[in-house]
Structures are given as structure tokens and as C-alpha cells.
Amino acid sequence: MTQPPQPPNEPPQGGFGAPQEPPAGGFGAPQEPPPGGFGAPTPPPENPPYGYPQTPPQGPPAQPPGTPPPGPPPGYGYPNQQPGYGYPNQPPGYGYPGQPGQAGQPGQPSPYGYPTPPMQPGAQQQYPYPPPPQGTGGGKKLSRQAQIIIAASVAVVLIIAGGVLFASSGDEGGKSDAKGGSSGSTEGGTAGTGGEKAADGAGKEKAPGNTRSKAAFQLPVPEVTDVTTVKGSWITDTAYVKTGVNEIVGYDLDKGTQLWSIPLPGQVCAASAHVSEDNKTAVAFAAAKTTADKNYQQCTEVGAIDLMAGKLLWSKSVNGSNVGDEKVRFSEVTLSGETIAAGGTDGGAAFDLADGSVRWKPEVSAEGCYDMGYGGGEGLVAARKCGSYDDPQVSIQNLNPVTGAPISTFQMPTGVDYASVVSTDPLVVAADVGDTAGDGSGISDFFSIDAKTGKLIAKIPADADKYAAKCRSTEVESCQMLAVGNGRLYLPTEEHEGGGEYGDTNEIVSFDLATGKGTSDRADAGDRYTMVPLRMDGGNIIAYKRPPYDKGGQIVSIDGGTFKQTVLLENPAGETVRDMESGFLPDYAELLYRNGRLFMSDTTLSKPSNSSLDDKSYLAVSFTTT
């Protein structure tokens, strides 16, 4: 398995960005003031940044009016790292120092509309102050009356700027239906304020007495000769279960020792994240193993797995009338109640969870219609495609999970080739309408739909420059880094420059599913951290905070009513542990948290290269506070 390059453990000495010789007169020598003097009032921008209201500094300004500002700091001293061979080109990991010349760095325009002033290490942000009264030259002591005038001017500027920024944190062009408080920004993230309760109730996850975790175990990468899918990981009361090569294996929660193994005739190609109340789930797999002569086997088998007993309960395949005598091929599988549903380009089929009896299978349609795939969980929803390749029509159907009969149908807009089911209850769908997202996320808009009537409740535009969730467009149930609960959609914002010396940060914000409008909910990741939702816990959001290069990651619970953050787990900052953790990116890995344990695992393996980057690769790693 090839992993992305790791960041340097400590800032390098010398090289790009190392301190330069001071200019004549030394650092901080007086500079020529700009017209109007230093600190001239700056009017609020016409297009304020979205979603990031700033808190004015408390106490006196870092420098008095009329004092020339310090010179710019040295360049940020991290060399450009090149990704390892065979690894997709990805932006730098969350929280790592930015590269010179990027938007948002000192001296460059900010992507959120404000120019970013140069910052000295530890310096406070400078707010505009009015110039000294004419004739004083900035050197005489101001009169009491002049001081009052200046103070009043400062207050007006800050109030106006702060009001504009806060208003921009909601939906553009609409009013914010404030529910919970917003949080401030410190290195580890801070809590919001407010006293409201989450609409979906309290969560089950509680902070342990000691949130500091330790590395519990690591699973080595199994040997593969080609790209191999290892999707699928689950947690029970006694085991961590992970897909391997031609098998599914249960491991002891604390030690990582193997408890049981389910051998399969071929490789797992799809797995459901949903689990029944009695710990059963669904997988799809190939009917035969790959060989040197045939390194690809079609995914035709669907099976039910008992995660407690470590058994394959049954496996089935179907012949669809649209594929003749061949077996129907599947690319994804899900679970809803007592129904397992699998879909793909050959169409969709469903099976009874208990015995594998077929509930429906693909049939020939005069309109060329077929079920691309299904969303499971509380309900069962199909993404159905009809029409020709050049003129597809995609619809969303809420199904009776036993018969497959549509309860309601929503026709997706023109320009949608694929759709992803984010949630079945409430029904939320994502799509890239007209391929306008432009960032590979598969999302330009979210659709809140009435599952009973099929009517659109609200459309939520998701600007690719602002939000960082991701759906694999050709898979119906594949969305990551987002959550739905409390009648809201929770999204992470894109990374942007933080308030510290270097490093990016972001926030989690929300949209009301009834109105489509942005709310005042905002949880700050904190300086040099970035944060993504993993799942809901009652009315709370369980989120992962990816750390900077010198700290460990965190799992936090965000109260759905107050948006107050509670740390549930914090990983060690030691180099060895950091290297393990940084190998699993939230949008390319499976992250599971439950009862003080965090499991991070890969979803795709490849043949190792000769690169030294492959020396410390793992199928999965575990951290625990117990």
C-alpha cells in the first residue's frame, strides 16, 4: 500500500524561508508611512468572507497609533514535498504548513475576500485605528477630547465589521435562523455557548476520565499483487472486524489478536456500513480468487455476515433478464431493516437478511430503467436511471423494503447523471448538477425531500470553494465527511488560513433541511487543526480533528443544541504514533469511534513499491483511552 508523504517532524533548519540578513538599520527600522498615516481607517469590504466571524482582540492594540508596523516575517520554511510514486496528487494534509505563494499566506490575497496582513510569530491581529488629529504629528500626547473621539471611532469600525462578518456566517442572501451559539478559536478548539437541547436527544458517547489515548494495536498490510479493495470495517461489543484478502477477520478490541476468520471464495468488493440490531451486515464479493492469468473477477455474490459469531450466514447470486444467462454484477450493497439491497450497472436486487431469499431482481424495462444502487439505514431508497446514455433521467424512489414498490418518487433536475443518498430518514440526496462542482467532490447541491410524497422541501447549494464533503458520484451510498441529524445537514468548510504563525483550519457548519438556509451553528477546529463529521450520536455530532504535524488527532462530540465541543479522545504527539495516524486521510479511509476506541483503516491496497514511504504501512491502527 502506498501512503502519502509524511510532513517533516520539526521545522527544517535553513533552506527556503530561513531568516535573512537584516536590512540596513536592522529589523523594524522606521518605514515611510502610507498616505493618511499608519492605521488609517479601513472600511468594511463589500463582499465579506463566509462563515468565519472574527473576535476583536481584548485590551489595547498590539501597537499604538502612529507606530510603524514591524517588517514581514521570514518565509515559511517548509520545502515543497512531492507525493510518492503511485499515490494520487492530493493537497497537503489537514493542518500542515502552507506553501509559499498560496492564497491566504502573508502578502497574498485571502480566498475569503480579505487581504491577509503579515504576522510575526505570536503577534496579535492589527485592527484599524483612526489617524492622529492633524497637527499633532503623532508625537504629542492627545487631549482628553481627542482620545474620546478616537475611541468612539474605533468602536464604530469594529461593530460594523463584526456585524458584517457575523451575518456572513449564515446562508448567503438569507437570514440565519439562529439555534445554537458559535464557538471561538483556540489551538484545540473551543466550545459554543447556549442552552438549547439537540432535537434528536442526548448522545451515548461520554468523555472518559482520561481522554489521553495510547496506540493499542496495528494490523499489517496483507500481501497483494495488484490493486485490491478492502472496504468494510465494523465494531461490536467484543471485536473489531475488518475486511482482508479473500476473508473477513474479527480482532480482539484491545490486543488486536485474531478471534475468527470468514474465508470467502473471492475478494470483497462492497460492504454495508449499516448493522442490524443483532449485529448482522451485508457484503458483496467475487465468486473466485484472482490469479496470475486473471487479475480481475466480477462481483456477483451477495452475503450476510454475523459479526458476533464470525460466520457467513448465506451467499446468493441472481440472473437478471437484462443480462441473459450471466450473473448480475454488483458494485455496492446496503442494509435496511431485514432487507439487503445491492445495485450496479446491471440493475438492483434485494434479499431477505435471515435466509437470503430473493425479494426482487433486475428486469428488462422498455425505458431502459435500472436501479443504480440503494441507500439503507432507517429506510430504503433507490437511485434509478432511465433513458439513454446521452439523455439520462435520474429519480429518487423511497421503497417498501419488503416488496420494492415505490412509496414516492422525486425526479432529479436535468443535468444529473448520478445521485448519492446521504440519508434515508430524513431523505437527503446529493448530486453534481451539470458537472458544475468542478472539484471532484460529486456535490454541487443537496436536496431535502419529503419521503412520503416525493416533493422537494429545500435545495441547498454547496459551493465547492466553501464546503469539503465528498461523494463518489458513481456510488449511491458513498458520501463522507458530513452528517444529518436534528433536522440539519452538517458540513465541514474548506481549509483556510488560521490565526497562528502557519497552518490551516476550518469549521463545521449546518443547514436547516426545512428551509435550506444556513444556521448560526459553527464549531471551530482550532488553530492548525481541521475537523470533519464522522456520524451522529443521538443529537450530537461525532467529529475527527486532524492534527498539525506536531500533535495528535482528536475525537470530539459536538452538542447539537449548544455546539459545545467535548474531547472524547486525544492521540499521542510522539513521532511514531503521528506517522501511523497521518497515513489515514478522512476522505480515503474508514474511521470508526466507539466507547473510547478509535479505529482507522484503509479501503484500497496496492502492490508495494520500492519507495521508503512504504516501510511503515498498516491495514488498520487502533487507539484507546481504556
Side-chain angles (χ1 to χ4, degrees):
M1 176 178 69
T2 303
Q3 298 291 346
Q6 307 303 317
N9 296 321
E10 299 294 339
Q13 303 299 319
F16 178 79
Q20 307 298 317
E21 290 296 324
F27 287 113
Q31 308 294 321
E32 288 295 324
F38 287 99
T42 302
E46 294 181 1
N47 298 305
Y50 175 84
Y52 313 115
Q54 303 296 321
T55 304
Q58 302 299 318
Q63 294 185 358
T67 302
Y76 298 174
Y78 287 88
N80 293 323
Q81 299 293 330
Q82 298 297 325
Y85 174 78
Y87 196 84
N89 291 328
Q90 298 297 328
Y94 293 115
Y96 290 106
Q99 302 301 325
Q102 289 179 332
Q105 298 296 337
Q108 298 293 329
S110 165
Y112 298 92
Y114 280 88
T116 306
M119 295 290 288
Q120 293 287 359
Q124 292 181 338
Q125 184 173 347
Q126 302 297 307
Y127 283 80
Y129 279 80
Q134 295 297 323
T136 66
K140 295 183 180 180
K141 182 177 181 180
L142 299 177
S143 66
R144 178 65 174 171
Q145 183 177 6
Q147 294 177 16
I148 294 174
I149 293 173
I150 291 173
S153 301
V154 171
V156 170
V157 170
L158 293 180
I159 289 172
I160 293 174
V164 171
L165 286 170
F166 181 77
S168 71
S169 66
D171 181 75
E172 291 183 347
K175 294 182 179 180
S176 173
D177 54 338
K179 174 176 71 71
S182 61
S183 60
S185 177
T186 63
E187 188 160 21
T190 60
T193 59
E196 297 189 24
K197 294 182 179 180
D200 288 348
K204 297 180 180 179
E205 302 288 358
K206 306 299 180 184
N210 180 11
T211 59
R212 297 284 182 177
S213 73
K214 61 183 178 182
F217 61 82
Q218 303 85 44
L219 302 180
V221 176
E223 183 177 345
V224 296
T225 58
D226 206 338
V227 176
T228 303
T229 296
V230 284
K231 293 179 180 178
S233 56
W234 306 267
I235 306 174
T236 71
D237 291 339
T238 58
Y240 169 66
V241 183
K242 176 61 186 172
T243 294
V245 177
N246 302 317
E247 65 176 349
I248 296 174
V249 183
Y251 300 91
D252 181 89
L253 284 174
D254 297 313
K255 300 176 183 178
T257 52
Q258 182 172 314
L259 300 176
W260 48 260
S261 173
I262 303 172
L264 298 172
Q267 186 58 31
V268 170
C269 48
S272 175
H274 305 293
V275 178
S276 67
E277 293 183 358
D278 56 351
N279 285 292
K280 295 181 177 65
T281 193
V283 294
F285 50 91
K289 296 179 175 64
T290 59
T291 63
D293 297 330
K294 191 172 184 179
N295 59 6
Y296 173 76
Q297 296 286 353
Q298 293 182 349
C299 187
T300 57
E301 313 303 304
V302 175
I305 301 292
D306 187 327
L307 297 172
M308 292 295 291
K311 293 182 178 179
L312 175 65
L313 300 177
W314 54 261
S315 63
K316 292 285 181 70
S317 61
V318 296
N319 299 92
S321 55
N322 59 339
V323 292
D325 295 332
E326 295 182 359
K327 291 182 178 181
V328 174
R329 295 165 296 180
F330 301 109
S331 58
E332 53 186 300
V333 65
T334 192
L335 174 68
S336 177
E338 295 298 312
T339 298
I340 292 176
T345 55
D346 287 345
F351 309 84
D352 185 277
L353 174 63
D355 59 15
S357 57
V358 178
R359 292 189 167 173
W360 66 83
K361 61 181 182 178
E363 299 292 342
V364 173
S365 168
E367 298 79 18
C369 298
Y370 67 95
D371 291 350
M372 296 183 289
Y374 304 90
E378 294 297 320
L380 185 63
V381 174
R384 188 168 179 81
K385 181 179 284 190
C386 299
S388 65
Y389 176 83
D390 295 329
D391 184 27
Q393 294 92 46
V394 175
S395 61
I396 301 299
Q397 293 186 332
N398 182 29
L399 304 180
N400 179 316
V402 176
T403 66
I407 298 171
S408 66
T409 300
F410 171 73
Q411 192 70 39
M412 296 295 290
T414 301
V416 172
D417 294 335
Y418 300 94
S420 297
V421 177
V422 177
S423 167
T424 58
D425 185 18
L427 180 51
V428 181
V429 175
D432 186 359
V433 182
D435 295 326
T436 56
D439 64 342
S441 66
I443 308 169
S444 68
D445 300 271
F446 292 92
F447 300 82
S448 175
I449 303 168
D450 187 319
K452 294 182 180 179
T453 65
K455 293 182 178 180
L456 178 67
I457 299 173
K459 178 182 175 183
I460 303 171
D463 190 328
D465 292 332
K466 295 178 181 178
Y467 307 108
K470 180 178 180 180
C471 299
R472 289 170 175 82
S473 59
T474 58
E475 296 182 24
V476 173
E477 196 175 46
S478 64
C479 297
Q480 295 173 289
M481 304 187 297
L482 76 176
V484 173
N486 302 314
R488 304 201 170 193
L489 169 67
Y490 298 101
L491 300 177
T493 65
E494 289 284 1
E495 299 173 32
H496 59 88
E497 187 181 50
E501 181 183 357
Y502 53 76
D504 289 345
T505 188
N506 79 327
E507 297 77 30
I508 290 176
V509 297
S510 76
F511 291 86
D512 190 313
L513 294 176
T515 65
K517 299 293 185 181
T519 77
S520 64
D521 291 342
R522 196 188 81 165
D524 296 323
D527 191 22
R528 301 192 298 144
Y529 287 81
T530 53
M531 179 164 54
V532 297
L534 297 181
R535 63 175 174 88
M536 297 300 298
D537 173 34
N540 298 338
I541 305 104
I542 302 298
Y544 172 66
K545 296 176 73 168
R546 187 166 176 83
Y549 72 94
D550 56 350
K551 294 184 179 295
Q554 296 179 353
I555 294 292
V556 298
S557 175
I558 304 172
D559 188 286
T562 65
F563 249 53
K564 176 182 178 181
Q565 297 182 41
T566 300
V567 176
L568 301 178
L569 174 148
E570 183 171 10
N571 286 337
E575 179 181 352
T576 302
V577 177
R578 291 201 319 265
D579 287 347
M580 287 193 300
E581 181 177 2
S582 63
F584 298 92
L585 301 176
D587 51 344
Y588 288 96
E590 293 172 341
L591 274 62
L592 302 179
Y593 175 83
R594 178 175 168 181
N595 296 335
R597 295 182 176 92
L598 170 64
F599 301 91
M600 311 175 79
S601 66
D602 218 330
T603 59
T604 305
L605 305 179
S606 58
K607 182 179 180 180
S609 69
N610 295 326
S611 169
S612 61
L613 295 175
D614 293 322
D615 289 348
K616 293 293 183 180
S617 297
Y618 302 98
L619 172 65
V621 297
S622 169
F623 303 93
T624 180
T625 59
T626 58

